[in-house]
């Protein structure tokens, strides 16, 4: 079974802090994704990566950056956390099929609260 | 922008009944996927249907796709209390390898 793990289930940070959310997958997937999920808004894509050191902006990249130094690890960074970044953060990974989007496998999520 | 939109937003049924959820989308797709999310957890992939397929089955799940109407439906037969969850459809933006998720249908199955 594909396993996607996220570094924390719950996280509480203060406004202005630098926050790192880490995601690790064990199935040698090329693609990795970071979403945030908010009530009434569904899942929104923040960033994704299709290879080591490659990244692409999603729909809402403002206030976030990412890092992918190894294939299995994709980090989401909040340079200076703000209260409007309080949310559930979901990481996912998928194979690169070359022609279309494959199944995405999700981690359990990190519920981040910024005070 | 939202591509897939689920309908209804919430659905409550008795155990043993069938549950039907619908998804509409706006642009051409390569495939459409359905995911389930139990409360406060990550999403789990249920089924993928490609644009050249019309119907697909997996256990108690039946998915249909009508590309002319840009819509899909997910049918769960003989529902169980454990099916209580939110269900999301996701469509791929052409050529982007990204999925766009709808806001989900919240299904409650009453024992």
């Amino acid at each position: 079974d594909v396993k996607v793990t996220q570094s924390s289930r719950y996280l509480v940070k203060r406004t202005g802090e630098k926050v790192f959310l880490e995601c690790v997958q064990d199935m040698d997937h090329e693609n990795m994704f970071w979403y945030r999920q908010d009530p009434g808004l569904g899942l929104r894509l923040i960033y994704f990566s299709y290879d080591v050191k490659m990244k692409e902006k999603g729909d809402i990249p403002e206030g976030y950056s990412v890092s992918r130094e190894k294939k299995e690890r994709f980090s989401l960074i909040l340079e200076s956390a703000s209260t409007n970044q309080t949310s559930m953060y979901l990481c996912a990974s998928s194979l690169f099929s070359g022609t279309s989007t494959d199944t995405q496998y999700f981690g359990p999520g990190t519920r981040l609260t910024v005070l | 922008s939202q591509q897939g939109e689920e309908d209804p937003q919430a659905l409550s049924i008795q155990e043993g009944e069938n549950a039907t959820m619908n998804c509409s989308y706006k642009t051409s797709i390569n495939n459409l996927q359905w995911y389930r999310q139990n409360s406060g957890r990550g999403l789990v992939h249920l089924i993928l249907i490609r644009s050249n397929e019309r119907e697909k089955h997996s256990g108690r799940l039946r998915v249909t796709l009508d590309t002319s109407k840009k819509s899909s439906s997910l049918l769960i037969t003989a529902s169980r209390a454990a099916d209580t969850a939110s269900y999301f459809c996701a469509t791929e933006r052409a050529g982007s390898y990204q999925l766009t998720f709808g806001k989900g249908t919240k299904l409650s199955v009453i024992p």
Side-chain angles (χ1 to χ4, degrees):
Chain A
D1 274 354
V2 175
K3 193 161 185 185
V4 180
T5 57
Q6 294 183 229
S7 49
S8 306
R9 287 283 287 128
Y10 300 94
L11 206 54
V12 180
K13 295 292 182 180
R14 297 240 173 241
T15 302
E17 279 192 79
K18 191 169 186 175
V19 181
F20 293 87
L21 302 181
E22 296 221 309
C23 176
V24 178
Q25 50 94 2
D26 66 357
M27 282 301 291
D28 204 34
H29 285 170
E30 290 84 4
N31 299 333
M32 295 189 76
F33 307 84
W34 275 108
Y35 297 90
R36 65 177 282 178
Q37 183 178 24
D38 300 287
L41 296 177
L43 273 77
R44 293 178 292 167
L45 181 64
I46 305 171
Y47 267 99
F48 72 101
S49 168
Y50 52 87
D51 201 352
V52 175
K53 296 193 187 294
M54 305 300 286
K55 61 184 179 184
E56 294 281 345
K57 293 180 180 179
D59 295 317
I60 51 164
E62 296 79 19
Y64 303 94
S65 62
V66 290
S67 172
R68 192 162 180 205
E69 296 296 318
K70 293 184 178 181
K71 191 174 185 179
E72 68 272 17
R73 190 179 297 269
F74 191 35
S75 300
L76 180 69
I77 303 155
L78 287 66
E79 294 289 341
S80 178
S82 63
T83 55
N84 63 12
Q85 292 178 310
T86 291
S87 186
M88 169 73 102
Y89 289 88
L90 293 162
C91 174
S93 71
S94 72
L95 282 170
F96 176 70
S97 70
T99 55
S100 66
T101 308
D102 210 332
T103 300
Q104 291 191 11
Y105 296 87
F106 282 81
T110 295
R111 190 167 291 281
L112 172 67
T113 302
V114 183
L115 301 175
Chain B
S1 62
Q2 295 299 127
Q3 163 77 311
E5 291 289 342
E6 293 89 346
D7 171 60
Q9 291 185 357
L11 181 61
S12 184
I13 60 173
Q14 296 287 332
E15 202 166 28
E17 293 181 340
N18 295 342
T20 299
M21 288 158 269
N22 303 297
C23 172
S24 59
Y25 58 92
K26 296 174 184 169
T27 62
S28 296
I29 59 171
N30 285 334
N31 65 58
L32 185 145
Q33 304 181 33
W34 284 92
Y35 289 79
R36 184 187 75 225
Q37 184 180 36
N38 290 91
S39 181
R41 309 294 295 184
L43 277 71
V44 175
H45 179 258
L46 295 176
I47 199 162
L48 181 154
I49 186 164
R50 302 198 184 280
S51 59
N52 60 354
E53 297 175 309
R54 292 296 167 257
E55 188 171 312
K56 205 161 181 181
H57 296 255
S58 176
R60 293 184 296 113
L61 305 180
R62 173 178 166 251
V63 169
T64 61
L65 179 64
D66 186 334
T67 53
S68 66
K69 294 181 180 178
K70 291 187 169 58
S71 68
S72 173
S73 67
L74 171 67
L75 168 67
I76 304 174
T77 60
S79 63
R80 305 166 182 168
D83 294 328
T84 293
S86 291
Y87 292 81
F88 295 86
C89 70
T91 54
E92 177 196 307
R93 300 177 217 185
S96 72
Y97 308 124
Q98 300 172 48
L99 289 179
T100 302
F101 287 82
K103 295 178 184 178
T105 292
K106 191 169 185 177
L107 173 66
S108 299
V109 181
I110 303 162

